[in-house]
Amino acid sequence: AQSVTQPDIHITVSEGASLELRCNYSYGATPYLFWYVQSPGQGLQLLLKYFSGDTLVQGIKGFEAEFKRSQSSFNLRKPSVHWSDAAEYFCAVAPYNNNDMRFGAGTRLTVKP
Amino acid sequence: DSGVTQTPKHLITATGQRVTLRCSPRSGDLSVYWYQQSLDQGLQFLIQYYNGEERAKGNILERFSAQQFPDLHSELNLSSLELGDSALYFCASSVGIAEVETQYFGPGTRLLVL
């Protein structure tokens, strides 16, 4: 069965430091992969997505993610974190027809001044 | 602002009651998805509608039902409410179903069952 694992429940980084949030998936074929961000009291906003092609995907707000088929991973990165990046981040996978999207448990990011 | 609207923002009710959550998709989007976000279950897909027809079902309880109307807005009906139904309910929309598309999420309805 398809599943998504985000190993880190909570990560704290200093403002200006680099960030990597991990995501591993289990799926029969290469799924469609997404990263969403949820700020407190808000809905989910799409950061980036991977369907096919270049395995390094650029998203909004300076985020990027790299798809590694051999590791079944889709890690999210940002070279320099801003205080406004503090939020909850969700990795998600979806089958071809987009229904039954599965979300990871989320990683809460705290940014220290 | 994703363009997806949900009402109400907050809802407080008692066990055994029934509530209706409403969602208006982005202009032009034909697909609507409902999700439940709770502390113990995380974010779970409930159901999808496309152009008025049920398209896919996820972990939706029998006490819950949904529909999509001709004007494409959708309603999620939750009945015989239990304490465990307290959660944040999100609606999302996408253009269609031809292939995987970006889902745009609304701000959610926070339901508290007392």
Side-chain angles (χ1 to χ4, degrees):
Chain A
Q2 59 189 60
S3 65
V4 184
T5 302
Q6 293 180 247
D8 305 305
I9 296 173
H10 184 205
I11 282 183
T12 300
V13 300
S14 297
E15 191 168 14
S18 64
L19 171 70
E20 181 168 30
L21 303 182
R22 296 183 290 163
C23 173
N24 294 95
Y25 66 89
S26 172
Y27 195 66
T30 299
Y32 298 91
L33 298 158
F34 305 82
W35 275 99
Y36 282 88
V37 61
Q38 183 180 26
S39 298
Q42 303 292 316
L44 279 75
Q45 181 183 22
L46 180 70
L47 287 175
L48 46 78
K49 59 190 177 187
Y50 173 77
F51 290 172
S52 64
D54 192 346
T55 56
L56 186 62
V57 180
Q58 301 298 320
I60 63 171
K61 304 185 179 189
F63 286 93
E64 67 177 26
E66 186 172 12
F67 168 62
K68 292 186 177 180
R69 185 191 305 273
S70 61
Q71 298 176 20
S72 297
S73 69
F74 189 56
N75 294 348
L76 182 72
R77 300 193 293 248
K78 186 168 184 178
S80 177
V81 169
H82 187 263
W83 65 265
S84 60
D85 294 324
E88 185 118 24
Y89 292 80
F90 293 91
C91 180
V93 302
Y96 169 76
N97 55 6
N98 207 32
N99 55 52
D100 199 14
M101 181 178 282
R102 300 294 177 96
F103 286 84
T107 297
R108 184 160 61 92
L109 174 65
T110 297
V111 180
K112 290 190 304 185
Chain B
D1 184 1
S2 65
V4 179
T5 60
Q6 289 187 249
T7 56
K9 285 185 108 171
H10 302 276
L11 199 49
I12 302 174
T13 188
T15 54
Q17 295 298 305
R18 172 190 169 94
V19 298
T20 297
L21 313 183
R22 182 188 170 104
C23 168
S24 293
R26 291 188 323 153
S27 177
D29 284 359
L30 299 179
S31 271
V32 171
Y33 312 77
W34 285 98
Y35 293 87
Q36 180 194 58
Q37 185 179 35
S38 62
L39 283 174
D40 54 345
Q41 299 287 331
L43 197 55
Q44 291 196 99
F45 166 71
L46 296 178
I47 197 164
Q48 178 198 1
Y49 276 80
Y50 171 72
N51 204 21
E53 300 288 327
E54 182 182 304
R55 181 73 183 171
K57 262 185 174 178
N59 297 322
I60 188 166
L61 300 173
E62 285 194 14
R63 300 183 285 109
F64 296 0
S65 65
Q67 53 184 330
Q68 186 179 27
F69 295 85
D71 67 352
L72 301 177
H73 91 271
S74 178
E75 292 180 356
L76 179 67
N77 299 296
L78 315 176
S79 61
S80 302
L81 285 167
E82 302 174 0
L83 295 178
D85 297 327
S86 296
L88 196 50
Y89 290 85
F90 286 109
C91 165
S93 73
S94 68
V95 173
I97 55 169
E99 59 178 80
V100 177
E101 299 163 339
T102 298
Q103 294 185 28
Y104 294 88
F105 282 75
T109 293
R110 186 171 294 279
L111 173 66
L112 180 59
V113 182
L114 299 176

